[in-house]
Amino acid sequence: MKDLPKPYLTGHFTPVTDEITAHELTVHGALPPELNGRYFRNGHNPKPGVTPTHWFRGEGMLHGVRLANGRAEWYRNRWVKTPFLDGVPFTGTELEVSAAATNIIFHGGRYLALQEANLPWEVTAELDTVGVYDFGGKLTSSMTAHPKEDPVTGELHFFSYSPFPPYLTYHVASREGEIIRSQVIDGSGPSLMHDFAITREHAVFINSPVVFDHAEHSGIPYLWHDDVPLRIGVMPRTGAPKVTWFEVEQGAILHVTNSYVDTQGRVVLEGPRFDRSSWETSWKWWIGAPGYGVTPNGGTTFHRWVLDPATGKAREESLDDLATEFPSINDAHTGAFNRYSYAIAFPGAGLDGYSTVKFDTVTGRRRLLNHGPGRMPGEAVFVPAEGGTNEDDGYLLTVVNDLKADASQLLVLDAGDLATVATVELPRRVPAGIHGHWIEDQK
């Protein structure tokens, strides 16, 4: 029987085959005048003729839109020019051989394309590749694709994980981009740790039942193990580096929404949760195994864990039953209480198509923006409105992929009610991607 095409190379995820630049893009509506900067997004985009063995193994391509003074000045897309793009295989020991395909951040005056098993790759403000970046020789291990910038101190908190000891190392870089702390974390194991969290007082680590296993041959050698619990580690950011590990109901966490300390001194962690079924269903899609579903999300749902360092006790609860992933918040609330979060809602649980969803954890209500047949939104990136006073005073930026029109748009949504403020017509269809950021012009 003929093999089915890999799902991450078809439909919304069909790669583009070249790099282009376009100027003076068409805008419908009015772009808010405070949007002066760049929307950058990363994602896997294998070169023509390349079929990776796993969605996460595709070469990285950056897409960018420059907004200024009410205009969409340009769009451009560029592969990150790493050795991996040139066909050098990733062995796990050469940290510069990276797909550089998961995220892009700006910190310490540098734009960094990230992939968690490797060193960062620096690019320019026009998305041209500069080269591998190791924080002046101070980073000798990989870097997570999900660092957290403390909005109060400006410090960048991140980690590296490994299938071999030391399994987990925690790093902090100053506002200027100099590594000022590196700490091996006790009690961790060979878990796939894609993301973590910070509160204003803690670092929060995740050890899931998805652990290193040579039996997995997709190129990402991790498998679910029923005998391994989900553990969440809480460590104070100052003082003795003592980690309290909480064992909770078995599940897995790929992305976190946020974490904070509540009024009772407990650490609250929120984010999409996998059970075993949703993990294995998702993994089938990610590797293109027989029986994969119609979307890359096998059914993660919004969840909360409440961890008490004083007593060592934990409780947890489901916050919503929609299948959602790629959570985001107003980053000014990173590490502090947030009422609102945003995510992609996937078909299922009563939804026929893709939506952008806004959660209100105070009322328990949700607001949905359905994007219509054949249209898939990306991660919603929050940008604060000038003069805003409420947490949701701002805008959401998301790229929508339209299969029927073979086109894409950058939507600017009101983060309060999800109404469309402006639409930027992009010069090509942009494949569904992974993560990105709004990077405001530096003053």
Side-chain angles (χ1 to χ4, degrees):
M1 186 175 75
K2 185 178 180 180
D3 290 338
L4 293 173
K6 297 294 186 181
Y8 45 83
L9 299 179
T10 63
H12 292 290
F13 302 85
T14 304
V16 297
T17 59
D18 58 1
E19 302 172 332
I20 67 169
T21 301
H23 296 278
E24 298 303 331
L25 311 180
T26 299
V27 177
H28 306 287
L31 288 169
E34 61 263 50
L35 292 187
N36 291 289
R38 292 163 170 81
Y39 168 80
F40 283 165
R41 200 221 67 194
N42 206 341
H44 302 281
N45 193 101
K47 294 191 300 184
V50 174
T51 300
T53 54
H54 194 294
W55 184 26
F56 302 163
R57 299 280 287 184
E59 293 89 339
M61 177 176 279
L62 302 169
H63 300 262
V65 180
R66 162 76 171 149
L67 305 180
N69 303 313
R71 295 164 42 232
E73 292 188 345
W74 53 251
Y75 160 87
R76 64 189 70 208
N77 67 300
R78 300 290 186 271
W79 272 292
V80 188
K81 308 300 193 299
T82 75
F84 188 77
L85 183 70
D86 292 332
V88 177
F90 173 64
T91 64
T93 58
E94 298 177 354
L95 292 174
E96 72 276 10
V97 182
S98 174
T102 306
N103 203 353
I104 179 168
I105 65 167
F106 181 80
H107 186 80
R110 299 176 187 273
Y111 301 88
L112 300 176
L114 305 176
Q115 181 100 356
E116 67 199 53
N118 315 96
L119 289 168
W121 274 75
E122 184 179 357
V123 300
T124 70
E126 284 70 43
L127 299 182
D128 297 314
T129 301
V130 175
V132 71
Y133 182 68
D134 62 3
F135 290 84
K138 290 188 176 182
L139 184 62
T140 58
S141 60
S142 62
M143 178 178 177
T144 175
H146 286 286
K148 309 298 178 189
E149 186 171 281
D150 186 313
V152 176
T153 67
E155 294 172 337
L156 190 71
H157 297 253
F158 59 98
F159 66 90
S160 63
Y161 76 94
S162 171
F164 311 107
Y167 297 118
L168 177 62
T169 305
Y170 169 59
H171 304 277
V172 181
S174 67
R175 182 188 297 269
E176 294 73 28
E178 179 183 357
I179 291 181
I180 56 177
R181 178 181 181 183
S182 293
Q183 175 74 49
V184 173
I185 302 302
D186 294 332
S188 187
S191 173
L192 190 158
M193 190 185 304
H194 184 69
D195 201 354
F196 84 132
I198 60 171
T199 75
R200 298 289 164 83
E201 302 87 4
H202 310 85
V204 182
F205 306 106
I206 299 160
N207 266 201
S208 79
V210 182
V211 297
F212 179 70
D213 192 326
H214 282 296
E216 172 59 45
H217 300 296
S218 67
I220 309 291
Y222 289 84
L223 282 174
W224 184 289
H225 282 241
D226 282 331
D227 59 340
V228 178
L230 172 61
R231 298 185 305 137
I232 302 173
V234 176
M235 184 186 78
R237 284 167 46 179
T238 59
K242 176 177 172 51
V243 184
T244 302
W245 288 96
F246 297 83
E247 187 171 322
V248 296
E249 181 182 354
Q250 193 180 47
I253 306 168
L254 200 63
H255 297 113
V256 303
T257 302
N258 194 26
S259 187
Y260 59 89
V261 176
D262 69 11
T263 56
Q264 300 179 54
R266 302 172 303 183
V267 174
V268 179
L269 176 69
E270 296 176 347
R273 175 187 177 274
F274 292 88
D275 59 17
R276 177 174 178 170
S277 174
S278 59
W279 179 267
E280 293 186 342
T281 300
S282 299
W283 192 269
K284 284 182 179 180
W285 193 99
W286 301 344
I287 66 173
Y292 62 77
V294 297
T295 79
N297 188 328
T300 52
T301 58
F302 194 25
H303 207 74
R304 174 186 289 152
W305 296 264
V306 182
L307 316 166
D308 192 339
T311 65
K313 294 182 178 180
R315 69 173 179 85
E316 54 191 287
E317 60 182 321
S318 174
L319 298 178
D320 198 276
D321 61 359
L322 282 181
T324 56
E325 251 293 358
F326 299 94
S328 61
I329 64 169
N330 177 342
D331 286 338
H333 289 255
T334 297
F337 171 76
N338 66 289
R339 175 174 179 173
Y340 303 110
S341 65
Y342 312 89
I344 302 174
F346 289 77
L351 297 184
D352 294 330
Y354 292 94
S355 296
T356 297
V357 60
K358 176 183 181 181
F359 292 116
D360 182 336
T361 56
V362 171
T363 65
R365 296 173 182 169
R366 65 165 102 110
R367 182 185 293 270
L368 286 166
L369 172 62
N370 189 314
H371 291 277
R375 290 169 58 85
M376 180 181 179
E379 176 185 54
V381 174
F382 185 93
V383 184
E386 187 173 359
T389 57
N390 297 317
E391 180 185 335
D392 60 348
D393 285 343
Y395 310 99
L396 301 177
L397 305 185
T398 182
V399 171
V400 173
N401 181 292
D402 189 324
L403 285 181
K404 184 177 180 179
D406 192 30
S408 290
Q409 302 166 327
L410 174 66
L411 300 187
V412 180
L413 307 175
D414 187 314
D417 60 7
L418 303 188
T420 300
V421 176
T423 300
V424 179
E425 299 289 348
L426 301 183
R428 72 175 329 152
R429 181 189 56 80
V430 175
I434 311 294
H435 303 291
H437 283 86
W438 169 254
I439 301 166
E440 186 178 0
D441 284 350
Q442 305 307 297
K443 298 176 181 177

